[in-house]
Amino acid sequence: MAFKLPELGYAYDALEPHIDARTMEIHYTKHHAGYTNNLNKAITGTDLDNKSIEEILYNLDMSNAPVRNNGGGYYNHNLFWTVMNPNDKGRLSGKLREEIEKTFGSVESFKDLFAKAAQSRFGSGWAWLVVNDGKLEICSTPNQDNPLMPEVGCKGTPILGLDVWEHAYYLKFQNRRPEYIQEFFKVINWNEVERRYDEAMK
Ligand code: MN3
């Protein structure tokens, strides 16, 4: 099997009370594992076998639904687990903080704009903070699409992503997506977002 489900890196209940343990467990062991297995099935024996996930997504044939949906799902959740951390609440600092303030006015207005992108995504999808040509941008994509894919109207290297599929919040928040978004802000692992920012700026 080419791709492996990565370690979560913390316990299912580590993000309580913001993100509940049951949601984390199902999300990781059923949804993310499902995307991983189905991606492997979709690429086995094709010329995508042995390519990196980034390479697969950059050069994606958007009409290849199994690879688009499961490759996106695999990559997106890999990123999602790492940009949350129970021990790094709100420690946004350094160059990324400066850049966020410069681009969006303030950290608060960044959060407002990001929340708006997450809230207004109709149905299932993701909100993103990306580095595009050295600049920070906020955007969103439907389903499991992401900014690495061609022609999704949202381009760049994702450094922060928020899953707004109902499976990510319905058990605890039901239809209250705005509340879920506000709780997400409390568990962002800014160290990891900064690491991804530095990497993207190289
Ligand atoms: Mn999900």
Side-chain angles (χ1 to χ4, degrees):
M1 284 295 201
F3 293 107
K4 278 174 76 178
L5 186 66
E7 295 284 325
L8 188 55
Y10 43 80
Y12 298 134
D13 65 359
L15 303 175
E16 292 266 14
H18 311 291
I19 313 279
D20 65 289
R22 186 80 178 123
T23 296
M24 286 299 295
E25 182 176 0
I26 297 170
H27 203 169
Y28 175 71
T29 64
K30 305 293 180 197
H31 294 274
H32 195 189
Y35 296 124
T36 307
N37 293 337
N38 288 327
L39 171 62
N40 285 327
K41 271 184 215 155
I43 62 167
T44 300
T46 75
D47 58 0
L48 298 177
D49 223 343
N50 298 318
K51 293 211 161 115
S52 74
I53 187 62
E54 287 84 0
E55 237 180 309
I56 290 174
L57 298 179
Y58 280 133
N59 302 300
L60 185 65
D61 167 5
M62 295 296 275
S63 69
N64 187 339
V67 174
R68 180 179 180 174
N69 294 334
N70 295 295
Y74 176 73
Y75 175 92
N76 295 347
H77 291 85
N78 285 1
L79 180 144
F80 188 48
W81 310 133
T82 66
V83 298
M84 296 189 290
N85 186 311
N87 305 313
D88 188 61
K89 291 168 186 157
R91 269 183 246 153
L92 171 58
S93 60
K95 189 138 184 4
L96 178 59
R97 186 184 186 103
E98 273 172 39
E99 203 55 33
I100 282 178
E101 289 173 345
K102 204 175 98 190
T103 307
F104 305 108
S106 66
V107 175
E108 280 317 302
S109 55
F110 156 72
K111 285 182 181 170
D112 287 348
L113 289 165
F114 189 87
K116 203 170 282 176
Q119 240 153 267
S120 60
R121 166 53 53 197
F122 183 76
S124 299
W126 291 75
W128 303 103
L129 176 63
V130 301
V131 176
N132 185 19
D133 282 334
K135 293 203 178 97
L136 290 175
E137 289 173 14
I138 291 167
C139 58
S140 86
T141 50
N143 306 312
Q144 296 296 355
D145 287 355
N146 71 43
L148 299 182
M149 296 177 183
E151 305 155 31
V152 294
C154 176
K155 222 175 109 212
T157 305
I159 62 170
L160 177 68
L162 173 58
D163 188 343
V164 295
W165 283 57
E166 284 187 344
H167 68 226
Y169 62 87
Y170 207 84
L171 285 180
K172 182 176 167 77
F173 299 97
Q174 292 82 51
N175 62 326
R176 305 186 305 277
R177 187 189 288 185
E179 272 180 46
Y180 160 68
I181 295 166
Q182 292 308 314
E183 293 303 306
F184 169 72
F185 285 133
K186 297 173 188 168
V187 295
I188 291 179
N189 179 1
W190 284 110
N191 279 334
E192 173 64 12
V193 183
E194 276 182 59
R195 191 194 66 74
R196 288 175 182 270
Y197 175 72
D198 293 342
E199 192 65 33
M201 290 300 285
K202 270 181 193 163

